[in-house]
């Protein structure tokens, strides 16, 4: 039952820290149904537990949908006066995108591959040309046509057979990240009758051109549990399990070495990993373990012509590179190749016949080193900006001296370079074109450091338009994530110009829980150190206020998924700091989710958050979980978004959170909750549709700032 008439907000009400004038509308109040969680002698009432029922197909399923739809109607009513502005913003942002465009072609096994988009189309064509860019074009997949009639459509995992005749690809039409694999004959244009359901979407070809390896998913938990070998033409009889992961805290996947010699299975969690190898010429053989998993040791393997390189944190917190012979891979044969450094995190290796390219992090910034395999000489690429992001791009060829990399910053559009590792010459192959013009000189980017409560220096990347007044009265949007060791590097976003051009500054707080400052940065923001993530973000906000970039009357925060947990935590801990907060697909019901092993990803996350079946972990996560810590106090204005089909953070987490906030909070600040009934964790699949969500977010911020055009 959805109670109507229980709460109304009038534009005549006085609202603290809110310059917006809201229309009269009635907020939905969800029914409370008694449910107790009892664990470790602790009894907690969870009156909105019934909202889990839609995917469990319980008796309250219809009521769940009714509640979500009522919230959508309320959000639409509250933002009705911004609808024309949202349209303006959508077309403004869409207008910056070059509709007819083409990716930079890459060479693989004699063909140049690329994708191209057409004017007015949401998706793309995946194409190739044989031997030369002047050769006739083959359209391998017309995703625009394939997506016709679907609200959501994702094609991924494109994998060409070694003889260039077959294409395997995955399709998801629900947005649950559960793909069906198809195989297309590129000579006839026909789809083969072979079809594989419930996969991660990617495939790896053996060298016989008929055997595929893929990752199979559990239909309930969506965990990647098995690697299977599929032989074309044999149907179910040719589908064989070659690896089954017994540890449900690990993710698994399968791939192929760049030199084409090895099929590799990777199994890894937060703390340990393991690799298995198979000769790609003998797909029916038995996988051999490279090195049995070791407690709290991560390693990954790169295959060269004459040896393996091993990237590992064994005795090296920031990782080091080891080497071993091709036929002696266990740890006792590992020898140091690149030593551990306290101030440099080694994050990845790209291999080529005569070189390796090493991706690193130092002082919070990404960098790339090129090392000759002939003489060991190493040099770094230079980029020249204070805050930027660089990363290896599509590098599928092994026998080449050319490495492709991507480069961007808060003011530099995404750029693709080819770098000759021998001559040290770089060539700009493409820079993202901003239709209508863009001048980076009109914008300013800064790199700041905030001293947080325990004395740690936390980086902040900041961008604004020239002329931005630092008088404490300007609006600023602070973004954060801070989980899984994922670094939120500064990148360009053409949509963000609509925010900056209307007077906002935009900042990224590089808080602990990411890996910007090295592996310790991650470890200091997870498990029993998780609260550092939240206090870092709050201290970064206070620093920006102290430096007059903004004030609490004009400060806004945004985060999604685990960043949505961040949003929920900081508004419990420091609600007075923010005028408005956007929480996207927020992970806010930490304890209940981590207790439910039927929910996708739960067991994979124990080494990130802890296992609440253990009392100490339960008590700690309960002390910060946003849903558990709502209090009778004034909260900032909130816009909360989710997707009904979200496989990463289930829709019911934000639904329960919003319902409980409405019940308990004080004050007249608004809570708006929008569920996309067709999409999942990543939102819309089309290249323009997602801009409608961006326009909604911006309209919410602009309304709070009194910006109407």
């Amino acid at each position: 039952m959805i109670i109507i008439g229980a709460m109304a907000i009038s534009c005549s009400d006085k609202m603290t820290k809110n310059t917006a004038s809201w229309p009269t509308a009635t907020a939905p109040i969800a029914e409370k149904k008694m449910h107790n969680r009892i664990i470790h002698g602790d009894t907690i009432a969870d009156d909105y537990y019934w909202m889990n029922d839609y995917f469990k197909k319980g008796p309250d399923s219809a009521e769940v949908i009714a509640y979500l739809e009522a919230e959508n109607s309320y959000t639409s009513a509250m933002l009705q006066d911004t609808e024309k502005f949202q349209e303006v913003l959508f077309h403004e942002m869409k207008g910056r995108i070059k509709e007819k465009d083409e990716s930079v072609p890459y060479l693989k096994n004699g063909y140049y591959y690329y994708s191209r988009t057409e004017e007015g189309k949401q998706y793309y064509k995946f194409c190739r040309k044989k031997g030369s860019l002047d050769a006739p074009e083959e359209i391998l997949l017309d995703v625009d046509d394939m997506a016709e009639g679907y609200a959501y459509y994702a094609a991924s995992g494109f994998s060409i057979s070694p003889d260039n005749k077959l294409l395997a690809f995955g399709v998801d039409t629900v947005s649950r990240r559960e793909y069906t694999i198809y195989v297309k004959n590129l000579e006839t244009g026909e789809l083969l009758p072979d079809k594989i359901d419930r996969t991660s979407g990617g495939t790896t070809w053996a060298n016989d051109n008929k055997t595929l390896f893929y990752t199979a998913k559990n239909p309930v938990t969506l965990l990647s549990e098995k690697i299977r070998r599929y032989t074309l033409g044999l149907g179910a009889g040719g589908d064989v399990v070659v690896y089954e992961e017994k540890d449900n805290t690990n993710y698994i996947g399968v791939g192929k070495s760049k030199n084409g010699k090895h099929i590799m299975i990777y199994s890894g969690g937060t703390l340990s990993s393991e690799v298995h190898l198979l000769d790609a010429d003998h797909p029916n053989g038995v996988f051999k373990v490279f090195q049995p998993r070791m407690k709290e040791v991560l390693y990954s393997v790169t295959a060269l012509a004459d040896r393996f390189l091993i990237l590992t944190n064994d005795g090296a917190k920031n990782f080091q590179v080891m080497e071993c012979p091709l036929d002696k891979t266990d740890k006792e044969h590992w020898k140091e190749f690149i030593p551990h450094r306290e101030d440099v995190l080694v994050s990845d290796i790209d291999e080529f016949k005569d070189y390796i390219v090493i991706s690193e992090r130092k002082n919070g910034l990404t960098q790339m080193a090129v090392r000759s395999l002939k003489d060991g000489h190493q040099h770094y690429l230079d980029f020249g900006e204070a805050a930027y992001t660089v990363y290896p791009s599509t590098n599928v060829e092994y026998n080449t001296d050319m490495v492709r990399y991507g480069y961007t910053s808060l003011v530099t559009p995404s750029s693709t370079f080819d770098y000759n590792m021998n001559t040290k010459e770089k060539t700009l192959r493409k820079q993202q074109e901003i239709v209508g013009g863009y001048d980076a000189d009109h914008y300013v980017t800064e790199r700041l450091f905030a001293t947080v409560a325990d004395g740690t220096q936390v980086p902040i990347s900041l961008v604004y338009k020239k002329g931005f007044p630092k008088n404490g009265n300007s609006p600023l949007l602070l973004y954060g994530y801070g989980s899984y060791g994922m670094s939120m590097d500064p990148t360009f976003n053409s949509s963000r110009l609509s925010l900056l051009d209307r007077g906002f500054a935009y900042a990224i707080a590089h808080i602990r829980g990411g890996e910007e400052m090295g592996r310790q940065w991650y470890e200091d923001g997870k498990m029993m150190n998780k609260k550092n993530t939240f206090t870092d973000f709050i201290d970064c906000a206070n620093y920006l206020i102290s430096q007059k970039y903004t004030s609490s009357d004009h400060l806004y925060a945004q985060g999604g998924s685990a960043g949505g947990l961040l949003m929920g935590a900081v508004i419990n801990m420091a609600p007075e700091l923010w005028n408005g907060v956007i929480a996207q697909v927020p992970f806010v019901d930490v304890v209940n989710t981590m207790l439910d092993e039927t929910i996708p990803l739960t067991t994979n996350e124990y080494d990130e958050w802890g296992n609440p079946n253990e009392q100490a972990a339960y008590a700690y996560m309960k002390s910060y979980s946003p849903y558990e810590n709502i209090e009778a106090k004034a909260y900032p204005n909130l816009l909360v978004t989710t997707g009904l089909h979200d496989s990463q953070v289930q829709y019911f987490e934000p639904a329960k959170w919003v319902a409980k906030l409405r019940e308990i909070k004080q004050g007249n600040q608004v809570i708006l909750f929008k569920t996309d009934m067709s999409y999942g964790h990543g939102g819309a699949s089309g290249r323009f549709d997602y801009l409608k969500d961006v326009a909604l977010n911006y309209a919410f911020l602009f309304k709070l700032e009194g910006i109407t055009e």
Side-chain angles (χ1 to χ4, degrees):
M1 178 174 65
I2 310 300
I3 301 173
I4 302 297
M7 181 170 72
I9 295 178
S10 167
C11 61
S12 63
D13 290 337
K14 288 194 175 184
M15 302 179 187
T16 306
K17 290 167 66 72
N18 187 349
T19 61
S21 176
W22 298 98
T24 300
T26 301
I29 302 298
E31 185 178 1
K32 297 168 66 175
K33 301 182 182 184
M34 189 175 69
H35 176 87
N36 288 329
R37 182 188 74 215
I38 304 174
I39 185 172
H40 304 304
D42 187 29
T43 300
I44 297 295
D46 186 1
D47 295 329
Y48 302 107
Y49 181 84
W50 62 271
M51 290 190 183
N52 294 35
D53 258 16
Y54 176 70
F55 279 123
K56 296 180 183 292
K57 303 303 178 188
D60 295 310
S61 294
E63 189 171 347
V64 170
I65 298 300
Y67 172 69
L68 298 178
E69 290 176 339
E71 287 284 3
N72 282 350
S73 296
Y74 173 68
T75 295
S76 294
M78 293 295 282
L79 292 175
Q80 185 175 11
D81 61 341
T82 72
E83 287 180 357
K84 289 184 178 179
F85 194 13
Q86 288 183 52
E87 277 291 309
V88 169
L89 290 168
F90 170 77
H91 289 291
E92 178 178 294
M93 293 183 291
K94 181 174 179 285
R96 296 192 189 103
I97 297 173
K98 187 178 181 182
E99 295 200 21
K100 187 176 182 180
D101 204 359
E102 187 174 301
S103 66
V104 180
Y106 63 88
L107 180 65
K108 183 178 182 181
N109 200 18
Y111 283 82
Y112 287 93
Y113 291 89
Y114 59 97
S115 62
R116 60 178 178 84
T117 55
E118 295 183 346
E119 192 166 345
K121 299 286 188 178
Q122 288 272 17
Y123 296 91
Y124 56 91
K125 276 79 171 155
F126 178 51
C127 310
R128 73 178 180 182
K129 294 180 179 181
K130 186 176 182 179
S132 166
L133 292 175
D134 296 324
E137 177 184 80
E138 294 179 62
I139 298 178
L140 307 184
L141 291 177
D142 188 333
V143 184
D144 289 308
D145 284 349
M146 294 159 63
E148 280 292 328
Y150 291 98
Y152 179 92
Y153 193 92
S156 72
F158 302 161
S159 182
I160 305 289
S161 60
D163 64 4
N164 295 317
K165 295 179 179 180
L166 299 172
L167 165 63
F169 61 97
V171 171
D172 173 16
T173 59
V174 180
S175 190
R176 292 282 286 174
R177 299 189 181 182
E178 189 177 31
Y179 292 81
T180 297
I181 290 171
Y182 299 91
V183 180
K184 184 176 181 179
N185 185 320
L186 298 180
E187 294 183 318
T188 67
E190 296 176 338
L191 286 179
L192 302 187
D194 306 84
K195 187 178 77 166
I196 311 171
D197 294 319
R198 290 177 174 159
T199 81
S200 64
T203 54
T204 298
W205 289 95
N207 290 341
D208 64 355
N209 300 297
K210 65 179 181 180
T211 305
L212 288 165
F213 294 89
Y214 70 93
T215 307
K217 285 194 168 187
N218 181 297
V220 177
T221 65
L222 300 185
L223 292 177
S224 52
E225 292 182 333
K226 298 174 183 177
I227 303 298
R228 304 183 73 103
R229 183 185 70 228
Y230 184 86
T231 304
L232 296 178
L234 296 185
D239 198 7
V240 179
V241 175
V242 296
Y243 178 83
E244 183 171 3
E245 180 54 60
K246 301 298 185 182
D247 185 346
N248 63 4
T249 68
N250 275 25
Y251 294 93
I252 62 172
V254 61
K256 195 175 190 179
S257 61
K258 191 184 293 187
N259 63 16
K261 294 182 178 180
H262 310 277
I263 307 293
M264 296 182 170
I265 292 174
Y266 178 84
S267 173
T270 303
L271 298 178
S272 69
S273 61
E274 186 176 76
V275 173
H276 294 248
L277 296 178
L278 178 69
D279 186 334
D281 290 331
H282 299 95
N284 293 323
V286 177
F287 279 87
K288 173 191 173 185
V289 65
F290 188 91
Q291 159 62 41
R293 64 192 68 183
M294 299 170 279
K295 185 178 181 181
E296 298 191 8
V297 173
L298 293 165
Y299 77 89
S300 59
V301 176
T302 299
L304 302 180
D306 59 349
R307 61 192 137 157
F308 290 111
L309 299 182
I310 306 103
L311 177 62
T312 181
N313 67 345
D314 185 23
K317 186 176 288 292
N318 274 337
F319 289 78
Q320 61 184 334
V321 181
M322 311 293 281
E323 63 180 348
C324 71
L326 294 174
D327 59 346
K328 296 177 181 178
T329 63
D330 50 299
K331 181 186 171 184
E332 67 182 67
H333 295 103
W334 295 4
K335 295 180 180 179
E336 184 181 273
F337 183 70
I338 298 177
H340 175 256
R341 289 158 290 171
E342 293 289 344
D343 61 339
V344 177
L345 172 70
V346 182
S347 55
D348 200 9
I349 299 172
D350 265 281
E351 74 273 29
F352 303 88
K353 181 182 177 182
D354 296 325
Y355 298 91
I356 59 170
V357 176
I358 307 147
S359 297
E360 301 177 347
R361 288 185 173 276
K362 185 175 182 180
N363 295 327
L365 293 174
T366 51
Q367 58 187 27
M368 287 172 57
V370 174
R371 185 183 184 103
S372 169
L373 293 173
K374 293 179 178 179
D375 59 18
H377 178 74
Q378 180 171 304
H379 68 276
Y380 285 86
L381 280 69
D382 180 53
F383 306 109
E385 281 192 84
Y388 63 87
T389 301
V390 64
Y391 52 92
S393 185
T394 306
N395 291 291
V396 295
E397 278 289 301
Y398 183 67
N399 296 307
T400 181
D401 290 342
M402 199 74 69
V403 60
R404 178 166 293 175
Y405 68 89
Y407 180 85
T408 182
S409 75
L410 289 170
V411 297
T412 304
S414 296
S415 307
T416 300
F417 289 87
D418 281 344
Y419 180 78
N420 189 304
M421 295 178 280
N422 183 30
T423 66
K424 300 182 182 179
E425 294 176 333
K426 67 178 180 180
T427 303
L428 176 63
R429 296 296 305 275
K430 182 176 182 178
Q431 186 172 84
Q432 175 189 359
E433 180 181 337
I434 310 303
V435 177
Y438 166 74
D439 189 344
D441 288 339
H442 292 170
Y443 302 87
V444 177
T445 182
E446 295 186 41
R447 184 79 160 179
L448 311 173
F449 284 85
T451 303
V452 301
D454 64 1
T456 301
Q457 294 273 301
V458 176
I460 303 172
S461 297
L462 184 72
V463 64
Y464 49 82
K465 194 168 186 179
K466 280 185 177 177
F468 175 83
K470 299 176 186 177
N471 58 11
N473 296 317
S474 299
L476 185 148
L477 176 60
L478 181 63
Y479 176 82
Y481 188 76
S483 290
Y484 303 109
M486 293 180 62
S487 300
M488 297 294 107
D489 294 312
T491 60
F492 184 81
N493 186 322
S494 66
S495 300
R496 192 185 300 134
L497 298 176
S498 293
L499 198 67
L500 305 182
D501 289 349
R502 289 174 172 85
F504 268 76
Y506 176 83
I508 305 169
H510 301 288
I511 50 184
R512 284 175 285 186
E515 216 168 47
E516 286 93 334
M517 302 293 281
R519 186 70 177 180
Q520 190 65 49
W521 203 251
Y522 170 43
E523 294 185 3
D524 286 345
K526 74 180 183 75
M527 297 289 283
M528 306 300 274
N529 295 320
K530 189 63 210 170
K531 289 182 184 178
N532 284 336
T533 302
F534 315 138
T535 55
D536 282 0
F537 193 79
I538 290 168
D539 289 343
C540 285
N542 279 318
Y543 175 78
L544 291 168
I545 290 172
S546 72
Q547 299 301 304
K548 302 296 184 182
Y549 286 94
T550 189
S551 65
S552 60
D553 287 340
H554 302 282
L555 178 60
Y556 303 90
Q558 181 178 10
S561 195
L565 162 64
L566 172 68
M567 296 299 103
V570 301
I571 66 171
N572 281 337
M573 297 168 71
E576 73 286 349
L577 266 182
W578 330 93
N579 191 31
V581 169
I582 300 171
Q584 299 163 289
V585 292
F587 174 44
V588 284
D589 192 10
V590 182
V591 178
N592 287 318
T593 289
M594 296 306 297
L595 282 169
D596 188 348
E597 293 187 9
T598 69
I599 293 175
L601 307 185
T602 288
T603 55
N604 286 142
E605 310 281 296
Y606 284 158
D607 290 331
E608 180 72 24
W609 315 105
N611 182 347
N613 293 296
E614 300 170 1
Q615 189 164 2
Y618 170 82
Y620 187 73
M621 66 177 66
K622 181 187 172 188
S623 73
Y624 69 74
S625 176
Y627 185 64
E628 307 274 339
N629 290 282
I630 297 169
E631 296 176 339
K633 58 189 177 186
Y635 282 84
N637 300 285
L638 289 174
L639 173 61
V640 183
T641 62
T642 191
L644 180 62
H645 299 287
D646 196 330
S647 61
Q648 312 300 106
V649 179
Q650 308 292 301
Y651 71 89
F652 45 78
E653 291 200 42
K656 292 169 61 180
W657 182 50
V658 165
K660 190 173 180 180
L661 277 166
R662 283 246 174 79
E663 174 196 354
I664 296 175
K665 82 172 186 72
Q666 297 176 342
N668 292 323
Q669 285 70 32
V670 300
I671 302 176
L672 306 180
F673 179 38
K674 181 179 182 293
T675 301
D676 196 302
M677 308 303 278
S678 299
Y679 304 141
H681 198 66
S685 56
R687 63 183 177 126
F688 303 129
D689 282 345
Y690 80 96
L691 292 173
K692 295 176 182 177
D693 295 328
V694 180
L696 176 74
N697 294 338
Y698 286 180
F700 172 72
L701 298 175
F702 292 148
K703 185 174 179 66
L704 290 173
E705 277 296 308
I707 297 170
T708 58
E709 61 182 13

